[in-house]
Amino acid sequence: MRLRLPEERPTEPPTGYKIAHPVLSHDGTRAGFTGVSLGGALPYGVVADASCVYGLRHQAPHRRCDCGFHCVHDRSTAEALLCTAEHRAAVLLEVSVIGRYLRFERGFRYARQRIRAATVGPCICGTVASALADAGWGRPGWRALAPSCAGCLRGRTSVSLASFARLAGDGLRVVAGTGAVVADVSADGLGVPELAAEAALLQARLDWFQRQLAKLGERGKGGEG
């Protein structure tokens, strides 16, 4: 007997979460995403159909293959993937799972998706990102992008978050995630707690220098004779 898995017929597409790298076409007219693992060499649009990355002729997802789009059920699970070094510049996607899918304990493997929203993380300096800039790598015909604030663009090819959403099309929403608040580093902007912290830091550095000088003095005395 052949074991048949239970079939689901949801009234609306299930929601899933995944991470991906935003990409911009070499001529700057199109925007999309590329995966972080299997199938990462094939950029896709906001609405896309999966195909077997091994070139097999079966429909994705196939039970005896690992092809198809992948996502997880929980947003927090997808956000945790952004902690790894190689995924720090990726963005968080909220997707609608469309068409055939296989349900797993932690997520779906499925045939078609619509990306509803992309959340962009902070710039490498910690400031809230206002743009997506050339990340220094890419795929044939596509530049990979990374979150950037205005101060870190430095002449790189870039697009604003709104422009990326417009180029991607199909109603995609692109929002900036949280980042560090830009502090006022001028002396006039410092209050008593900030000045006290600065003074403590300077005192700690002075103590360290005095200890180092004392060690050098002891070595000098030990070498006399």
Side-chain angles (χ1 to χ4, degrees):
M1 294 179 61
R2 182 187 236 177
L3 179 63
R4 294 181 62 86
L5 297 176
E7 294 187 2
E8 298 182 14
R9 299 187 181 276
T11 57
E12 58 183 32
T15 296
Y17 301 91
K18 61 193 299 182
I19 64 173
H21 294 288
V23 292
L24 181 70
S25 63
H26 70 284
D27 57 3
T29 61
R30 293 175 295 158
F33 301 92
T34 186
V36 298
S37 56
L38 184 68
L42 302 174
Y44 52 82
V46 174
V47 180
D49 295 293
S51 59
C52 181
V53 296
Y54 304 111
L56 302 178
R57 296 183 179 180
H58 56 238
Q59 290 184 338
H62 195 276
R63 293 180 184 175
R64 297 182 180 180
C65 186
D66 53 4
C67 59
F69 290 122
H70 296 71
C71 71
V72 295
H73 297 304
D74 299 323
R75 182 185 181 98
S76 59
T77 302
E79 289 175 332
L81 299 175
L82 296 171
C83 294
T84 61
E86 63 270 27
H87 298 157
R88 289 290 178 93
V91 299
L92 177 70
L93 303 182
E94 178 184 321
V95 303
S96 291
V97 175
I98 306 173
R100 298 173 62 251
Y101 63 81
L102 300 175
R103 180 186 288 272
F104 295 92
E105 181 181 0
R106 299 182 64 184
F108 299 99
R109 184 159 61 90
Y110 52 101
R112 183 176 172 83
Q113 71 179 6
R114 172 186 289 273
I115 304 172
R116 299 203 300 254
T119 301
V120 179
C123 175
I124 192 172
C125 71
T127 307
V128 175
S130 59
L132 291 166
D134 191 345
W137 63 276
R139 309 297 186 201
W142 297 88
R143 289 188 180 93
L145 305 177
S148 177
C149 66
C152 293
L153 289 177
R154 298 172 184 169
R156 291 180 293 165
T157 299
S158 64
V159 292
S160 67
L161 303 188
S163 294
F164 183 89
R166 177 179 56 80
L167 293 172
D170 290 311
L172 175 69
R173 292 186 298 108
V174 180
V175 297
T178 58
V181 177
V182 179
D184 183 358
V185 296
S186 64
D188 294 338
L190 298 178
V192 173
E194 291 82 4
L195 290 173
E198 290 291 334
L201 179 60
L202 290 174
Q203 184 62 50
R205 290 176 176 173
L206 179 60
D207 292 341
W208 182 85
F209 277 114
Q210 289 177 336
R211 288 195 299 271
Q212 300 305 310
L213 288 173
K215 291 180 181 179
L216 290 174
E218 291 174 358
R219 292 176 184 175
K221 292 179 180 179
E224 294 178 354

